[in-house]
């Protein structure tokens, strides 16, 4: 048979209403039927290019006609049409999905079949058919009428097909090129500048073999989102893939996108951990490939507003402000944007999520997507993401089109894209409240252990590591003897912040003992479950605690001493701010004299209670007084149901054991109340029912006190201990609890230590079923502030992620919940908040939180709650020349040091390095005073490159920081 016409029947009246809304197989079938008709043997047979006709107005003449009916049109095909086509000698192909199958069916009826045309040339014809369709659709998407010379285009396409069938590939490609060029001219008529396609290949451990090598073998520019863990596996087991990757990087066809060695839960980590992970990743890439990524990207959620300054100082030129995981992040008004961080640092970024290149609807709607970008973006761009080998034929069509022309876009690497395209008119700053991670929900679904306390342990260990680092640095600077820091321990701490799945031992033991489900346990089963749930001493906790103790002893040994050994305490402050520390010790025979730096001291039941003002990066030496201190006649810190000090008074409800009220003496209004609770989620709406807020139907088990006792009442410390049960509305007991309230003299923080013994496990929805500490305040209009990477950020959503504090502020009143590393909180209404303590899978049973009254710099108090006092008990001479002193001092308390290290050259210490973070959101000019004379100081980035000199005046380093800025300073001794 020789075809006289190639025709597709479509359910539309014109290309203006072309059926673009289809997905899946329907979209695939529509594109497959359309492009299959462009096989050169079919065109050469018909002597003309394919055309289309309305399905409700099919052709009358069917003889020798090839008619395509995709699934989107099949329902409207007139009854009997298929039989008439067969009878009259037409070929009808309908409801297929695979282009090759359609082509095979069409060629089977054609005399000469495919005529031996080169498959590569045939693929170019398919690409031409797809390009023609998309350019026509794009023209209409841009609200233009077609300006294409249809006669010239069709003549050139037909001539190309005839040449291809005749075996003249050179002539065929020349004619094809003419066709593509005229389509490009048509696009240039309404959009005369370049549009871009970013091809992003995602790589995981399971996709590093042959499919990835095939992706790397092409010449069209592509971008490889390759994490450090996948790269390690390539190095270990895929040498051929490694060589292909190296070759692509060398010839510039591949752009590496990545950054970290491991994609950790960045929003829950410190800046120091993030920088350490980026440095580990850079070293891994350099060692394996000889290249490191210049474009930052990750698949797992991990975006945050403070990231631009870390990336720019670490040497990145651009970033993907989009991830392919669950979680919420803001999209930019432009796809290419200048992402401005919280400190004002900017970095070029892709600010919209890529589209799925494995879905056929992506290519059916390609003209719509590109047209929208042409309308809205100053750089028209479509970003496609896919796994190696998991694409569609139309991505290959796009690549082939790009070899001939840029009618549908130019494929580029991200390095080229950021380097060569224009910048937007203004940067975009995304607020911290616009980001919401999926970590808690994912941890519960994946049955990870300790989804909450893992963060608490991380921040405690991190604080200990940084304390040890600071003290080791001080010791080294005092003695001029370099000290090797334990980087392996720091890596272990960061690694432990992740959540590997572990067996639920308590559940397994309970089921085994009960011989069935955990809902009907025998006493023996309950005992076995509780015993299995008691966490063992973690070796990592032992290591970090030992690191602090060892560093403190090293620092104590480095201090110059007076003669005459005495038994005493060296209270050490490794923080860069003054700390008023509450210390409980047995290291003194009797309390020291109450004089600076001792603010309060008393003996109680064999222990000494102290309140000590310890200088920043310094120490205070304490020794027993010659005589016991005289008891004052002040009002006691603790008595029945009441705790008080100079700043506030806390009332404990004698029936529930909850914090009934917290107020200052100049106002009787309640600042905050607190209680424990277990959230019982309400009934889920059934399908078809109206949405209802989960908070409206939720109920809570509440505290019921069995004892309220004053357990400490000294001159320095007051404590009330409450024990009882959490009882639900149905009178069921859901947990036993103990809550210990503590207040030190001179402190603005009410410390609360919680112990829970749950009797039930929360349900699988961690944001709707949990044990919690509940807080309530008086004013619905109060503003909420929380921390993100130790910096103060406003918040307005229901879910709050803040491992350090949540501050409730109204006018001049500030009440701060110090969370002690607990990261997840849920706001209930306008004046309540739940801090999540136990969700499904959580084994921790002890928690520490605090409530601060008018804290000027709550970040410092939050870190003080996490890092316990560092005390060295020793028999030695007092430090000389003074028993209390600082070694480094900042005159601004909203600046904190996150890292200290000696600056060494040729094995000798010549100065020090410090990284500084502004925590309150206010630009500041601060001075750093040092215990030794400084000659010069300069800012450097995180690669060690200079960033500007710091002036040194009167022995002080003058440093300017923008709000939330994090910088590194190197100083040299005089």
């Amino acid at each position: 048979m020789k075809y006289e016409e190639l025709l597709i029947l479509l359910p539309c009246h014109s290309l203006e209403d072309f059926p673009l809304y289809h997905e899946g197989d329907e979209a695939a079938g529509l594109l497959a039927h359309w492009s299959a008709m462009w096989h050169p043997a079919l065109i050469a047979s018909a002597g003309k290019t394919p055309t289309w006709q309305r399905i409700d107005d099919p052709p009358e003449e069917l003889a020798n006609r090839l008619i395509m009916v995709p699934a989107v049109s099949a329902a409207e095909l007139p009854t009997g049409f298929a039989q008439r086509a067969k009878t009259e000698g037409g070929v009808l192909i309908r409801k297929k999905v695979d282009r090759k199958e359609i082509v095979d069916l069409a060629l089977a009826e054609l005399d000469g079949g495919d005529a031996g045309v080169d498959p590569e040339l045939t693929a170019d014809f398919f690409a031409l058919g797809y390009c023609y369709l998309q350019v026509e659709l794009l023209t209409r998407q841009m609200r233009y009428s077609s300006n294409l010379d249809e006669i010239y285009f069709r003549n050139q396409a037909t001539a190309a097909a005839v040449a291809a069938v005749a075996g003249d590939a050179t002539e065929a490609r020349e004619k094809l090129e003419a066709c593509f060029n005229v389509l490009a001219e048509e696009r240039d008529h309404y959009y005369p500048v370049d549009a871009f396609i970013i091809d992003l290949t995602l790589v995981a451990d399971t996709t590093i073999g042959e499919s990835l090598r095939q992706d790397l073998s092409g010449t069209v520019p592509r971008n490889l989102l390759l994490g450090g863990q996948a790269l390690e596996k390539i190095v270990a087991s895929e040498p051929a893939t490694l060589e292909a990757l190296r070759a692509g990087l060398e010839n510039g066809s591949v752009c590496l996108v990545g950054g970290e060695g491991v994609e950790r839960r960045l929003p829950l980590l410190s800046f120091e951990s993030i920088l350490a992970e980026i440095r580990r990743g850079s070293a891994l890439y350099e060692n394996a490939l000889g290249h490191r990524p210049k474009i930052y990207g990750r698949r797992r959620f991990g975006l945050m507003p403070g990231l631009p300054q870390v990336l720019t100082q670490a040497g990145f030129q651009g970033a993907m402000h989009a991830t392919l995981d669950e979680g919420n992040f803001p999209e930019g008004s432009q796809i290419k944007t200048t992402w401005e961080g919280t400190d004002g640092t900017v970095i070029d970024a892709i600010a919209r999520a890529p589209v799925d290149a494995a879905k056929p609807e992506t290519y059916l709607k390609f003209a719509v997507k590109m047209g929208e970008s042409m309308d809205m973006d100053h750089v028209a761009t479509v970003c496609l993401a896919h796994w190696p080998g998991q694409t569609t034929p139309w991505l290959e069509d796009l690549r082939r089109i790009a070899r001939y022309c840029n009618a549908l876009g130019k494929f580029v690497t991200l390095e080229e894209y950021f380097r060569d395209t224009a910048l937007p008119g203004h940067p975009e700053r995304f607020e911290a409240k616009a980001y919401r991670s999926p970590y808690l929900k994912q941890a519960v679904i994946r049955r990870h252990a300790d989804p909450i306390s893992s963060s608490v342990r991380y921040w405690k260990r991190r604080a200990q590591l940084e304390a040890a680092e600071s003290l080791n640095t001080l010791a080294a600077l005092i003695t001029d003897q370099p000290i090797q820091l334990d980087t392996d321990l720091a890596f272990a701490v960061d690694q432990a912040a992740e959540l590997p799945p572990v067996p639920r031992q308590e559940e397994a033991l309970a089921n085994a003992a009960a011989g069935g489900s955990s809902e009907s346990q025998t006493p023996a089963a309950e005992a076995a479950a509780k015993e299995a749930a008691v966490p063992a001493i973690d070796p990592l906790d032992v290591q970090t605690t030992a690191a602090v103790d060892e560093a403190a002893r090293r620092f104590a040994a480095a201090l110059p001493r007076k003669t005459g050994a005495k038994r005493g305490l060296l209270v050490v402050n490794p923080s860069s701010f003054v700390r008023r520390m509450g210390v409980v010790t047995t290291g003194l025979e009797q309390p020291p004299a109450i004089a600076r730096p001792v603010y309060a001291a008393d003996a109680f039941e064999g222990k000494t209670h102290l309140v000590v003002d310890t200088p920043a990066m310094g120490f205070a030496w304490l020794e027993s007084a010659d005589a016991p201190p005289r008891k004052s006649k002040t009002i006691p810190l603790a008595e029945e149901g009441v705790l008080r000090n100079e700043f506030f008074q806390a009332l404990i409800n004698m029936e529930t054991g909850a914090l009934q009220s917290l107020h200052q003496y100049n106002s009787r209004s309640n600042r905050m109340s607190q209680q424990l609770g277990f959230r019982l989620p309400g009934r889920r709406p059934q399908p078809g029912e109206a949405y209802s807020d989960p908070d409206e139907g939720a109920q809570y088990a509440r505290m019921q006190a069995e004892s309220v006792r004053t357990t400490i009442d000294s001159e320095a410390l007051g404590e009330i201990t409450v024990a009882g049960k959490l009882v639900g509305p149905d009178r069921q007991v859901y947990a036993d609890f103990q809550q210990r309230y503590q207040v030190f003299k001179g402190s603005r923080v009410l410390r609360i230590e919680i112990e829970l013994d749950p009797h039930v496990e929360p349900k699988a929805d961690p944001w709707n079923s949990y044990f919690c500490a509940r807080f309530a305040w008086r004013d619905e209009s109060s503003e909420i502030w929380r921390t993100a990477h130790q910096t103060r950020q406003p918040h307005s959503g229901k879910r709050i992620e803040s491992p350090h504090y949540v501050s409730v502020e109204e006018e001049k009143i500030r009440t701060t919940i110090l969370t002690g590393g607990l990261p997840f909180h849920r706001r209930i209404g306008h004046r309540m908040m739940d801090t999540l303590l136990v969700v499904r899978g959580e084994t921790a049973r002890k928690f520490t939180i605090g409530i601060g009254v008018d804290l000027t710099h709550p970040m410092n108090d939050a870190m003080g709650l996490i890092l316990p006092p560092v005390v060295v008990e020793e028999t030695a001479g007092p430090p000389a020349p003074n028993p209390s002193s600082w070694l480094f001092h900042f005159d601004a308390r909203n600046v904190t040091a996150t890292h200290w290290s000696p600056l060494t050259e040729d094995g000798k210490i010549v100065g020090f390095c410090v990284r500084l973070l502004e925590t309150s959101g206010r630009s500041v000019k601060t001075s750093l005073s040092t215990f030794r004379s400084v000659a010069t100081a300069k800012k450097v980035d995180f690669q060690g490159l200079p960033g500007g000199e710091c002036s040194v005046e009167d022995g002080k380093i003058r440093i300017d920081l923008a709000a939330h800025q994090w910088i590194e300073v190197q100083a040299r001794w005089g």
Side-chain angles (χ1 to χ4, degrees):
M1 177 187 295
K2 178 179 173 61
Y3 292 124
E4 296 180 8
E5 188 174 14
L6 312 174
L7 185 67
I8 185 171
L9 303 182
L10 298 175
C12 57
H13 294 80
S14 68
L15 290 181
E16 277 76 7
D17 64 333
F18 190 86
L20 296 169
Y21 48 86
H22 295 285
E23 298 179 350
D25 285 349
E26 289 185 339
L30 178 54
L31 290 174
H33 281 85
W34 177 281
S35 56
M37 296 189 300
W38 289 76
H39 191 288
L42 299 178
I43 296 175
S45 172
K48 55 186 175 182
T49 56
T51 187
W52 71 275
Q53 199 163 325
R54 291 163 46 183
I55 185 67
D56 59 359
D57 185 22
E60 295 184 4
E61 295 292 331
L62 302 182
N64 299 322
R65 283 167 173 76
L66 175 63
I67 303 171
M68 302 285 188
V69 181
V72 299
S73 306
E76 299 181 42
L77 190 69
T79 303
F81 183 87
Q83 186 61 37
R84 183 162 69 90
K86 183 177 181 180
T87 302
E88 295 184 8
V91 176
L92 180 69
I93 301 175
R94 54 179 172 170
K95 296 195 295 186
K96 302 299 181 183
V97 174
D98 181 69
R99 181 161 66 188
K100 184 179 184 304
E101 182 184 3
I102 297 171
V103 169
D104 289 344
L105 290 173
L107 293 176
E109 301 295 329
L110 179 66
D111 295 339
D114 65 3
V117 179
D118 180 3
E120 284 294 305
L121 192 56
T122 299
D124 289 346
F125 276 89
F126 292 148
L128 178 64
Y130 177 73
C131 185
Y132 169 74
L133 172 64
Q134 293 300 319
V135 167
E136 289 291 281
L137 294 175
L138 182 59
T139 301
R140 289 152 179 81
Q141 173 71 21
M142 297 299 291
R143 301 167 298 282
Y144 276 79
S145 58
S146 178
N147 198 42
L148 180 67
D149 187 336
E150 291 278 356
I151 295 175
Y152 175 77
F153 174 79
R154 294 183 181 279
N155 286 341
Q156 291 297 309
T158 303
V162 171
V165 170
D168 190 347
T170 302
E171 174 73 10
R173 285 195 166 88
E174 288 178 359
K175 298 298 183 181
L176 278 176
E177 187 171 355
C179 292
F180 281 111
N181 286 341
V182 76
L183 292 175
E185 289 177 15
E186 166 72 355
R187 204 275 331 254
D188 289 344
H189 179 64
Y190 50 83
Y191 196 81
V193 296
D194 279 335
F196 298 93
I197 301 172
I198 296 170
D199 183 4
L200 185 66
T201 301
L202 316 177
V203 184
D205 293 356
T206 56
T207 62
I208 59 176
E210 178 61 28
S211 59
L212 179 57
R213 288 195 293 276
Q214 289 180 357
D215 259 26
L216 294 171
S217 65
T219 58
V220 175
R222 63 202 66 204
N223 305 274
L224 208 65
L225 182 55
L226 176 65
Q229 290 176 303
L231 177 58
E232 286 182 311
K233 192 163 184 180
I234 290 174
V235 172
S237 61
E238 289 288 341
T241 303
L242 184 63
E243 286 304 313
L245 178 53
R246 286 173 176 165
L249 291 171
E250 287 297 327
N251 63 34
S253 65
V254 174
C255 172
L256 201 58
V257 183
E260 303 141 86
V262 178
E263 292 186 354
R264 305 198 187 280
R265 302 185 296 172
L266 293 195
L268 300 182
L269 303 183
S270 70
F271 274 138
E272 287 294 338
S273 290
I274 294 169
L275 177 59
E277 194 57 56
I278 287 175
R279 284 176 167 172
R280 292 184 197 117
S282 295
L284 175 62
Y285 290 108
E286 287 283 0
N287 292 336
L289 302 171
H291 291 75
R292 52 151 295 184
K294 296 298 179 64
I295 310 301
Y296 176 82
R298 55 186 279 146
R299 284 194 296 116
R300 187 183 187 189
F301 181 89
L303 300 174
M304 56 196 188
L307 199 53
Q309 63 175 319
V310 183
L311 299 180
T312 54
Q313 294 194 77
F316 288 92
Q317 299 171 356
M320 291 287 298
H321 185 268
T323 55
L324 304 174
D325 192 10
E326 297 175 274
N328 293 348
F329 57 86
E331 287 196 343
S333 59
Q334 301 277 322
I335 188 168
K336 180 190 177 183
T337 190
T338 302
W339 178 15
E340 181 180 0
T342 51
D343 70 318
T345 301
V346 296
I347 188 170
D348 289 347
I350 297 292
R352 293 195 198 128
V355 292
D356 191 345
K359 292 182 176 180
E361 56 264 31
T362 295
Y363 304 94
L364 180 61
K365 303 172 185 175
F366 185 87
V368 174
K369 191 74 174 177
M370 182 61 81
E372 289 173 348
S373 187
M374 288 176 174
D375 271 338
M376 299 171 57
D377 300 324
H378 71 288
V379 180
T381 309
V382 172
C383 184
L384 305 170
H386 60 90
W387 296 102
Q390 295 186 17
T391 60
T392 67
W394 301 284
L395 177 57
E396 181 59 30
D397 287 350
L398 281 175
R399 290 170 177 167
R400 289 180 178 275
I401 293 166
R403 294 182 195 139
Y404 282 97
C405 69
N406 295 331
L408 296 183
K410 177 182 178 182
F411 280 82
V412 290
T413 65
L414 280 167
E415 289 185 25
E416 292 178 273
Y417 181 76
F418 287 127
R419 182 187 65 229
D420 299 337
T421 57
L423 296 174
H426 59 85
E428 289 193 86
R429 174 175 287 196
F430 304 115
E431 299 294 333
K433 60 188 177 183
Y435 299 85
R436 192 173 74 187
S437 80
Y439 301 140
L440 181 60
K441 181 180 177 181
Q442 287 177 342
V444 172
I445 290 174
R446 296 169 184 174
R447 301 179 70 83
H448 289 165
D450 296 338
I452 294 176
S453 63
S454 58
S455 178
V456 178
R457 290 194 298 270
Y458 162 79
W459 282 105
K460 179 180 178 181
R461 292 164 177 167
R462 191 75 218 182
Q464 290 177 317
L465 277 180
E466 292 176 8
E469 178 185 74
S470 299
L471 294 174
N472 280 324
T473 298
L474 290 176
L477 296 178
I478 293 170
T479 61
D480 279 332
Q481 297 295 321
I483 295 174
Q484 184 66 40
L485 300 178
D486 190 350
T487 55
D488 291 340
L489 182 56
F491 175 74
V493 167
D494 293 343
Q495 192 175 37
E498 293 305 304
L499 298 173
V502 299
R504 297 284 298 283
Q505 294 180 351
E506 68 275 19
E507 182 177 323
L509 284 173
N511 287 341
S517 70
S518 59
E519 296 180 357
S520 57
Q521 296 179 359
T522 65
E526 292 182 358
K530 289 182 179 180
E531 182 178 354
V534 174
I537 297 176
D538 194 307
L540 197 52
D541 289 333
V542 174
Q543 286 180 272
T544 53
T545 301
V548 176
D549 292 342
E550 182 181 353
R553 288 193 295 271
R554 184 178 290 120
F555 170 69
L559 292 174
R561 300 285 183 154
K562 296 178 181 179
T563 58
K566 296 183 178 180
R567 183 183 179 189
L569 299 179
L570 189 71
V571 182
V572 180
N573 181 8
S575 303
S576 57
F577 47 86
V578 177
R579 284 185 62 184
R580 176 165 284 182
M581 298 185 188
V583 178
V584 178
T585 181
T586 58
L588 294 175
E589 295 178 358
Q590 61 185 23
I594 300 176
R596 285 189 175 184
V598 179
Y599 183 82
D602 197 5
F604 184 84
E605 295 183 352
K607 296 181 179 179
T608 303
H609 297 164
L610 305 170
V611 178
V612 185
D613 291 327
T614 315
M617 295 292 286
F619 61 89
W621 168 264
L622 308 179
E623 55 189 61
S624 297
D626 295 334
R630 181 179 298 177
K631 295 286 186 178
S632 65
K633 296 182 180 180
T634 58
I635 299 174
L637 295 180
E639 57 184 356
E640 186 177 2
V642 180
L643 284 173
R644 63 173 68 86
N645 66 6
E646 303 93 311
F647 300 111
F648 60 82
Q649 178 171 282
L651 301 181
I652 313 302
N653 189 296
M654 301 300 288
E655 293 184 0
T656 64
L659 174 63
Q660 181 172 304
S661 64
L662 179 71
H663 58 81
Q664 292 176 289
Y665 301 110
N666 59 0
S667 173
R668 301 305 297 177
S669 60
N670 182 19
R671 300 277 295 253
M672 185 165 285
S673 300
Q674 180 270 336
Q675 63 178 324
L676 298 176
F678 175 59
R679 181 180 171 104
L680 303 165
R683 185 182 70 87
R684 287 179 177 270
Q686 297 299 311
E689 292 183 355
Y691 169 81
S692 61
D693 190 332
D695 292 341
E696 294 178 1
Q699 295 181 305
Y700 287 84
R702 301 181 183 274
M703 298 171 70
Q704 181 176 297
E706 296 178 336
S707 66
V708 180
R709 300 179 296 117
T710 300
T711 45
I712 297 177
D713 180 19
S714 73
E715 294 287 314
L717 174 63
E719 179 183 270
I720 293 176
T721 301
V722 178
K725 300 182 182 298
L726 291 182
V727 181
D730 54 359
R731 308 309 299 169
Q732 179 181 348
V733 176
Y734 288 92
D736 296 317
F737 73 85
Q738 180 173 283
Q739 185 154 283
R740 185 178 295 109
Y741 303 90
Q742 292 181 341
V743 59
F744 279 94
K745 187 175 182 179
S747 173
R748 288 185 174 273
V749 176
L750 173 65
R751 182 185 177 101
I752 305 175
E753 296 181 352
I754 301 167
E755 291 187 36
L756 278 175
D757 181 11
H759 296 180
V760 298
E761 185 177 52
K763 295 184 181 299
D765 181 357
W767 285 105
N768 206 29
S769 177
Y770 49 75
F771 290 91
C772 62
R774 309 202 71 200
F775 301 90
W777 51 91
R778 64 178 186 177
D779 192 345
E780 292 187 353
S781 64
S782 296
E783 294 183 342
I784 302 297
W785 295 77
R786 53 99 167 187
T787 56
H789 303 289
Q790 298 165 266
T791 63
R792 170 181 161 90
Q793 304 285 345
H795 193 83
S796 58
K798 274 193 172 185
R799 296 182 186 179
I800 305 173
E801 292 182 5
S802 180
H804 290 100
Y805 69 78
V806 177
S807 187
V808 182
E809 302 179 14
E810 47 174 307
E811 296 181 356
K812 297 182 180 181
I813 297 175
R814 174 186 292 176
T815 309
T816 305
I817 302 164
L818 306 178
T819 61
L822 292 164
F824 303 117
H825 319 271
R826 179 182 178 120
R827 192 167 177 185
I828 309 296
H830 295 289
R831 59 181 204 89
M832 288 187 289
M833 186 187 81
D834 294 348
T835 291
L836 278 62
L837 303 177
V838 176
V839 296
R840 177 168 290 191
E842 181 57 60
T843 63
R845 298 297 182 257
K846 295 183 179 180
F847 314 91
T848 301
I849 57 178
I851 302 177
V853 175
D854 293 335
L855 302 179
T856 307
H857 300 286
M859 190 64 232
N860 298 347
D861 295 276
M863 292 305 297
L865 185 69
I866 291 173
L867 178 65
V870 180
V871 179
V872 180
E873 298 182 8
E874 57 182 357
T875 300
N882 300 310
S884 179
S885 181
W886 55 262
L887 284 86
F888 291 99
H889 173 73
F890 295 96
D891 61 4
R893 295 197 68 186
N894 60 324
V895 176
T896 187
T898 63
H899 163 84
W900 296 90
S901 62
L903 181 63
T904 59
E905 288 183 359
D906 300 326
K908 295 182 179 180
I909 295 178
V910 296
F912 64 89
C913 299
V914 61
R915 285 195 281 271
L916 306 176
L917 175 66
E918 196 289 316
T919 60
S920 296
R922 303 193 308 270
S923 60
V924 63
K925 298 178 182 293
T926 187
S927 296
L928 170 57
S929 301
T930 63
F931 72 100
R932 288 176 62 176
S933 175
V934 170
T936 61
K938 64 180 179 180
K939 295 180 182 179
V940 297
D941 67 12
F942 298 150
Q943 302 176 90
L945 302 176
E949 297 292 323
C950 299
S951 63
V952 179
E953 302 174 11
D954 301 324
K956 298 179 180 178
I957 305 172
R958 308 292 184 182
I959 304 169
D960 295 347
L961 284 95
H964 300 140
Q965 189 175 10
W966 189 39
I967 65 169
E968 183 169 328
V969 174
Q970 291 182 357
R972 290 176 172 269
W973 300 131

